[in-house]
Amino acid sequence: GHDAHRGEVLSLSWHYSGKKFASSAFDNTIKLWNVSDNPIAEQSEKEGPIQAAIRRSFEMEHGDKFKTAIEQTPYFSTDSIHELPGCVDCVQFVGDLILSKSVQNVVVLWKPVVTNEDFATFNTIYPNYINDNRKNNDRIKSKVIFLRDFTVDNCDNWFIRFGSPSPYNEILALGNHEGEVKVWKLMGNEDDDEDQDYCGDNNEGLLCKLKTGGTTVRMVAIAGKCLVAVCDDSSVWVFEAIE
């Protein structure tokens, strides 16, 4: 569609509801898409649309297909999160918030402004905001609320993927081209002030730094107490947390 990406799509993340997803691309934009009007499978009370679709896929007869969902226009689009030149090579929903990464040594946690409550919060935080009609329009929302940056040195080459396991997204991990991995506590403590859960400087919440063999860490994944890092030299590193 006219408002779609103008470069190759590099990353996609489904919202936990299964009704919308985020995409990022070489054009340095992040877009949110709504597919709530295109159910792909009947679901029970105990499962979401994605889980229902996975279950349904195992029950389908050979040759059966899901109904194709077609959506040409995103309901949200922004290119203000990451600086140019660059590309957004990793994006992920964290509840209704978003984590995204470009090639400027930083992962950004932010909130898209899409509801009336979001707009009220935005106007409180940015009272002097001036709408730029060249970049915004009434059809597609584009305002954002910045919450926090996570910086990593030597992470300025593209296609390095961070990891933040769903559904709770308590941990964020990201490698760099020196073979290092940083691990942060993403969410605030239960006793923390709710407004401070995502605030702080770049090193606040840093849990540890890990070292692999020295080549670029392309991807990290976290499961339970284990962190897995995959490197350019085809090596796979497994780290286990010790109480």
Side-chain angles (χ1 to χ4, degrees):
H2 175 72
D3 300 297
H5 288 291
R6 290 294 181 264
E8 292 90 339
V9 176
L10 301 176
S11 183
L12 184 148
S13 174
W14 279 96
H15 188 264
Y16 67 90
S17 68
K19 297 179 179 180
K20 54 188 176 182
F21 65 90
S23 60
S24 65
F26 253 122
D27 60 7
N28 208 50
T29 65
I30 300 164
K31 299 179 183 289
L32 305 184
W33 307 79
N34 191 345
V35 292
S36 59
D37 295 332
N38 296 278
I40 56 178
E42 295 293 330
Q43 64 188 74
S44 68
E45 295 181 357
K46 296 183 179 180
E47 63 182 358
I50 298 176
Q51 290 76 19
I54 294 173
R55 172 184 52 78
R56 175 75 177 89
S57 68
F58 287 99
E59 301 170 354
M60 296 172 69
E61 298 292 336
H62 179 70
D64 286 352
K65 298 179 181 179
F66 285 113
K67 179 182 177 181
T68 301
I70 300 176
E71 183 61 58
Q72 293 187 327
T73 303
Y75 69 88
F76 178 92
S77 177
T78 182
D79 61 359
S80 64
I81 304 298
H82 301 280
E83 297 178 359
L84 289 171
C87 59
V88 185
D89 57 5
C90 196
V91 66
Q92 182 176 339
F93 268 110
V94 178
D96 291 325
L97 308 180
I98 296 201
L99 279 169
S100 59
K101 172 196 162 290
S102 184
V103 290
Q104 281 110 19
N105 298 311
V106 64
V107 177
V108 181
L109 179 67
W110 55 280
K111 182 177 181 62
V113 177
V114 294
T115 67
N116 290 335
E117 183 179 356
D118 293 338
F119 277 98
T121 302
F122 179 90
N123 291 331
T124 300
I125 297 175
Y126 309 107
N128 298 319
Y129 176 82
I130 299 176
N131 186 58
D132 184 350
N133 291 322
R134 294 171 302 173
K135 298 175 64 176
N136 299 282
N137 55 61
D138 295 333
R139 296 184 303 105
I140 301 176
K141 297 177 175 65
S142 60
K143 295 179 180 178
V144 302
I145 297 174
F146 290 90
L147 298 173
R148 186 177 175 188
D149 290 348
F150 301 87
T151 58
V152 177
D153 295 333
N154 303 309
C155 192
D156 53 354
N157 49 338
W158 84 290
F159 218 81
I160 295 181
R161 302 299 185 98
F162 60 75
S164 182
S166 300
Y168 303 112
N169 302 99
E170 296 177 343
I171 301 295
L172 169 67
L174 175 66
N176 65 13
H177 59 69
E178 296 295 324
E180 301 166 334
V181 178
K182 270 188 174 181
V183 183
W184 294 269
K185 180 181 179 183
L186 180 60
M187 310 293 270
N189 294 322
E190 293 182 0
D191 297 333
D192 290 344
D193 186 289
E194 182 178 355
D195 293 335
Q196 299 299 318
D197 279 357
Y198 301 104
C199 298
D201 59 34
N202 294 326
N203 290 318
E204 184 176 343
L206 183 63
L207 297 177
C208 64
K209 296 180 182 180
L210 307 172
K211 183 68 177 177
T212 65
T215 60
T216 301
V217 179
R218 287 293 176 185
M219 182 177 292
V220 294
I222 303 171
K225 297 182 179 180
C226 292
L227 182 147
V228 179
V230 180
C231 303
D232 263 0
D233 61 359
S234 300
S235 64
V236 178
W237 296 71
V238 180
F239 301 89
E240 185 174 359
I242 299 176
E243 296 292 343

